[in-house]
Amino acid sequence: MNSPSHSSLPPSPPPLPPSQRTVQSTCVVETLKLAFQVIDLALQHKKDQSNTPLEKALATFSGSLTSAGTGKESIHIVTTIASYCYHHVDPDIPTWATNLLKRLAQVVPMSLFACLGQDAVPIRDAYVRRLSSSVEDIELKVAILELVTKSVDSQPGLLDLFLNVRASDRSKPGEVAIKWWLGLDVSYGSCCPPCLEIALDPLGHHAVTCKRGSDVVSRHIKLRDVLAESCRRAHLGVHVEMGSNVTPNHSHTCPADLLVPNWVLGKPAAFDLSVTSPLNPTIILEADYVLDQESCLHSILRLFDPDKQVPHSTPRLQYTAVTLLAALWKVRHDAALCAVRAQKSFWRSLTKKLFSRVRVDASEKSKAESSAYELDICSQLMQIVAMEMYYVVSDKVDKDLIDVLKDFSKADGYRTWTKHLESLVTTDSSGLTTKPLPLSPVLVEAQLNLARGWKSMLVVGSMDHLDSVFQLSSSNVNTRMDILDGLLRALESQVKAGTEHPKSLAIATELSALYLILVKKWSSFKEDTVNRLGRILQLIGQFSFVPTVQLQSHMYSSLLLLIRTARQKEDHLEPRFLLSLIRQVDVCLQDHYQNIQTAAKNKPETLAVYLMTEMVPCVSENSQWLSTLKQHSLLMKMIRSLDEHLKMGTDEEFVEAVLSFFLAASAANTGAAKALLVNGIAQVMSASLCKALDVMLYTGVQQSRQASEWGRIWQLALKLSATLLNTLGHAYVQFALDFVGVYDGKLLKALDVLHCVRDLGSLSETRAVCHLVFQLSHYKSQWQFALPAQHRELLRAVIQLSGSCVAVLSKRATLKRAVKTMYASGLLPPEQGLPGDRKASKVVIVATGGVECEDDDAWVTTTAAYQELHNGLISILTLCLATLRLYSPCLEDLLLDGKVDLAEYPPLYALTFIPPSVDYATPSSLATLTVCLSTGLAMIKMDPGCKVGTPSRSPVKSPPPASSRDLASVQKRAEVLCLLEHAIIVLLSQATRYLVDPSVDPHAKQILKKELANELEHFCQELILSLTRKAGVPSPGSSNILKTPSAGLLHESRSGALLAEQRIFKLAELFAKQFLK
């Protein structure tokens, strides 16, 4: 009896004929390939980061592919796609499936390794077998390697699956773990690979605490990025490696790994991640890694091994393989890198292509693509060598790689590849002409990649600690010059080819950046280099402005460095070459003015103006310089652009560069100063600059980073106005008075000692204002007539500033407090001028009573900020006294004939001897000048650089200093002596003015004589002691000596000229003897 269940089944369909089955299978295969292509294109053209329905479908399990109720687990659709690697009928099916997996690994945010589940290892083995097969389709091999390459950044699990790198037998994690927990010996009798000088202890303490293994850092960074992405998905505004907002300056807070500004109740939260692992085999034994049998790296290494190389390997396959290696080096996958380095002659086999020249054949499309892959392979190899030498400690670099670099230099590889970049575009197949080759876009792109790889390799090779390994040290001057000359030739060739291949301009940009870096590092100069760079700039001028902005920036920067290097080395610069650059600067400024509304990231016009500034000392005396400027109307174009930028309040860097050039030109050449005045520079500084500064002040820019830039612009305007007044004289007086009338409020604010010591920028501003007031004081009659109120206020401010500066300089504690306030408020970076640890900078001083104690503020005097503030105050005080000297009656007229109109010279200091103070309620008295003399003498005695010269040096002309420190000491000594000279002359002039004034009380005159005599006597004694102390024991027979210090007679030099300190002493001594007694 038949079962009911069998009778209910439908009858089976009849079998199809063989021809129909073939057609049906072909349709299925084509439909499958079409489905792979459609999904790949859909994922490729995804516009945003949101999950599309297609991605959601791909992220689900494909339960419909299995029959219900069978008990089998559902297979993920990713596993289904990967399973087509077993398909052997049509080679396109596994290729398209692998390409789809590559797209999923790149776009879809999910782990493909987790999706594969228990089928991951069999699928990996199938892929590896097809990759190592010698009869497999090249397209499939390329797709497999590209899948692994894409997994480097986004699929770490899938990457480790394909790399299949394991620890060696003697560094098994399980064995090490058991031994470590049982307290057994885990050292294996060896040293720690990251730090070879430390031996591994038996208990493994160093192994678990070693911080030099790079896996510790990379794992920490990956974990940080995972947590940061989780916070972003939770809509938390997370920041990576950023300090908290608890303090005003972020530099004073340690950056956290993750910072969430709004965590709980509006308060920020900082997270610092720490990962520790006592069983990390990389730390225990870093070099003990081997490639497992089913690793894709075996097939990659076989492609470059000359003994095992597959005969039919194509350049595309080799390029894909070397791209994977470069990606591993980029992310510092230490386990894989250690395994491949351990292979026999790895570096020799890998870099073999760098020793042979690539033949570029653009006659056919297939040959052009093959040549492009060859160039890309060499580019990736250069990148790998650069990254290996950059990241690995120099004493731990593989000896095989060092030998390869030596052989590369001996084989003239640097010159060969530099010439190769030139010949790619300048030589046809016959090798006789220099017409650009008809290159395909893919070949030009390969040339660009080659230029980038060559740039990376040379930049790393030029580093100070690696140049000897790359054979590019200072002893290899010829190699350096060959590289630079070859780069110039290649750069010129690529610019010429830009008319045929626009992509060549990008190649020229890379080469110009490399040339700029090497010129800056090597400080090399050849006489014809400036001319060659000028010709390249002329070629660049035929292109539009925007595509060549970065290229022009590199060229102007290179010229700037070359001219500066030549000036420092006192090399000869041909003026005609420099004058020829003015034409290119003119074209650049013209393009800039036409595109003035667009904000460019790289500003060649700014660098061009700085180049003109650097050229001024070299060509200002040339008669053709000014005529060339006028011929191209360069000054007018600069002023016009300056006016536009000031009206818009933009491009502070360009404004600063133009004002710097005007300052240098007006100081070096009177004709240039007149041309600036004719073209309206005075109106621009009085009107447009005033409006720009007011707008910046109104919008609160003074609290932003632009404050320092506009501050420098304001200081340059002050210096330029003072320089034009000094150069042009009466022709510029009225414009200078207009400038003072416009900015009288800012000038008075700057003449405040509290503003002066607020920060170093304010110090420079006060110095510039004092210089302008000093220059304008030469025309005090016109100034007083035109602006009486401003003249009176500024003169009073200068007098008060001189007293305040003396008060600050006479008390070092005030200077220390000012510097400490700058550091505390964040106006100075913590590292500026600090010699090291603050605790190590404390010095022991002897306090009153002979008890030794530590001076907590001693570290301040060693900072660069303290020295700059101290020297700046000396300069400001000198300018103030020089200005007041012009308002004091002539001392010779007062002492000799007495025919001086006292009403024309009102008293500047009160007839009292109240010590100077910062308080404005205390009027400045004559004690300001006497304290200034004492302070100057104290500087001479305290600072060795300020002491007077020894007898071994000629008093007429001292030899040049041996170092920059000696030069600074000589300059500081000259500044202090200049300060003493102005102070003694102003003091004697003001005192004499009181003594000859009949309206002054005779009793006050007697007190003045007594006090002044005591001060001058003390000053002369201290000065003569300094001179006698430095003079030492006279030689026998010498007549030019001091008989006794009390004799009061100073010796003269052999030429009869008195030293500066001797002139000051004679003036004070004669005044005290002849007039006060």
Side-chain angles (χ1 to χ4, degrees), residues 662-681:
F662 289 166
L663 179 61
S666 59
N669 192 287
T670 306
K674 293 179 179 179
L676 288 174
L677 186 60
V678 170
N679 286 280
I681 185 61

Side-chain angles (χ1 to χ4, degrees), residues 18-35:
S19 60
Q20 295 185 8
R21 288 199 302 268
T22 303
V23 173
Q24 185 176 10
S25 61
T26 304
C27 292
V28 172
V29 169
E30 295 299 326
T31 304
L32 188 59
K33 289 195 292 184
L34 185 60

Side-chain angles (χ1 to χ4, degrees), residues 29 109 228 278 451 474 576 581 623 862 877:
V29 169
S474 56
R576 60 188 180 90
L581 297 176
S623 58
T862 62
L877 180 57

Side-chain angles (χ1 to χ4, degrees), residues 824-1069:
S825 58
L827 297 176
L828 295 173
E831 67 275 6
Q832 180 176 347
L834 293 180
D837 189 6
R838 174 177 168 176
K839 294 181 180 179
S841 301
K842 293 183 178 180
V843 297
V844 178
I845 62 173
V846 180
T848 305
V851 181
E852 293 188 357
C853 62
E854 290 187 351
D855 184 12
D856 291 337
D857 294 337
W859 65 273
V860 180
T861 58
T862 62
T863 61
Y866 179 87
Q867 299 297 330
E868 186 173 352
L869 182 60
H870 186 268
N871 297 336
L873 289 176
I874 292 176
S875 177
I876 290 173
L877 180 57
T878 303
L879 287 171
C880 290
L881 293 178
T883 302
L884 297 177
R885 183 176 175 178
L886 297 174
Y887 286 90
S888 301
C890 180
L891 188 58
E892 295 179 359
D893 295 341
L894 288 173
L895 295 178
L896 297 179
D897 53 10
K899 296 180 180 180
V900 178
D901 186 5
L902 298 180
E904 185 180 353
Y905 298 97
L908 302 178
Y909 293 95
L911 187 53
T912 59
F913 284 89
I914 302 175
S917 173
V918 183
D919 187 10
Y920 284 97
T922 304
S924 298
S925 63
L926 293 176
T928 300
L929 302 174
T930 58
V931 174
C932 180
L933 294 177
S934 302
T935 304
L937 286 176
M939 294 178 191
I940 290 179
K941 289 189 286 187
M942 292 180 60
D943 192 348
C946 292
K947 293 181 181 179
V948 294
T950 60
S952 61
R953 297 182 179 180
S954 170
V956 181
K957 182 177 180 181
S958 300
S963 62
S964 59
R965 181 177 298 180
D966 295 338
L967 179 60
S969 300
V970 172
Q971 291 177 348
K972 188 171 183 180
R973 171 180 175 273
E975 291 178 359
V976 174
L977 292 177
C978 182
L979 172 64
L980 292 176
E981 181 179 351
H982 287 304
I984 192 68
I985 291 177
V986 174
L987 172 63
L988 299 184
S989 178
Q990 290 296 310
T992 306
R993 192 243 177 260
Y994 278 115
L995 292 176
V996 301
D997 189 356
S999 62
V1000 179
D1001 185 17
H1003 179 67
K1005 292 182 180 180
Q1006 293 299 324
I1007 296 177
L1008 173 61
K1009 285 185 177 183
K1010 181 179 179 181
E1011 292 290 340
L1012 191 58
N1014 293 335
E1015 294 292 341
L1016 291 179
E1017 181 181 1
H1018 174 71
F1019 173 75
C1020 291
Q1021 289 178 355
E1022 292 293 331
L1023 186 58
I1024 197 64
L1025 286 177
S1026 299
L1027 288 170
T1028 307
R1029 190 183 307 115
K1030 295 298 296 182
V1033 180
S1035 61
S1038 175
S1039 59
N1040 296 330
I1041 60 173
L1042 274 172
K1043 302 302 181 182
T1044 58
S1046 60
L1049 298 176
L1050 288 174
H1051 69 282
E1052 296 184 0
S1053 64
R1054 294 189 180 95
S1055 62
L1058 293 175
L1059 297 176
E1061 59 271 12
Q1062 296 171 353
R1063 293 196 304 269
I1064 296 173
F1065 179 87
K1066 276 190 172 293
L1067 178 62
E1069 185 187 38

Side-chain angles (χ1 to χ4, degrees), residues 67 85 225 263 318 346 349 369 423 458-459 469 506-507 573 618 739 762 811 843 901 950 1003 1012 1075:
S67 58
C85 65
D225 294 341
W263 181 251
Q318 291 184 351
F346 167 72
S349 302
E369 292 178 354
S423 62
L458 285 183
V459 168
V469 180
I507 302 175
L573 286 170
C618 304
F739 185 86
S762 301
K811 299 177 182 179
V843 297
D901 186 5
T950 60
H1003 179 67
L1012 191 58
F1075 196 75

Side-chain angles (χ1 to χ4, degrees), residues 215-233 236-243 255-260 269-275:
D215 276 359
V216 178
V217 179
S218 60
R219 183 173 61 252
H220 175 273
I221 293 175
K222 290 179 181 179
L223 179 59
R224 179 202 66 189
D225 294 341
V226 169
L227 293 179
E229 182 63 26
S230 300
C231 292
R232 293 189 185 98
R233 293 185 180 183
L236 296 175
V238 64
H239 300 283
V240 178
E241 299 292 342
M242 180 178 288
D257 290 332
L258 297 177
L259 176 66
V260 181
F271 298 93
D272 192 11
L273 308 180
S274 178
V275 181

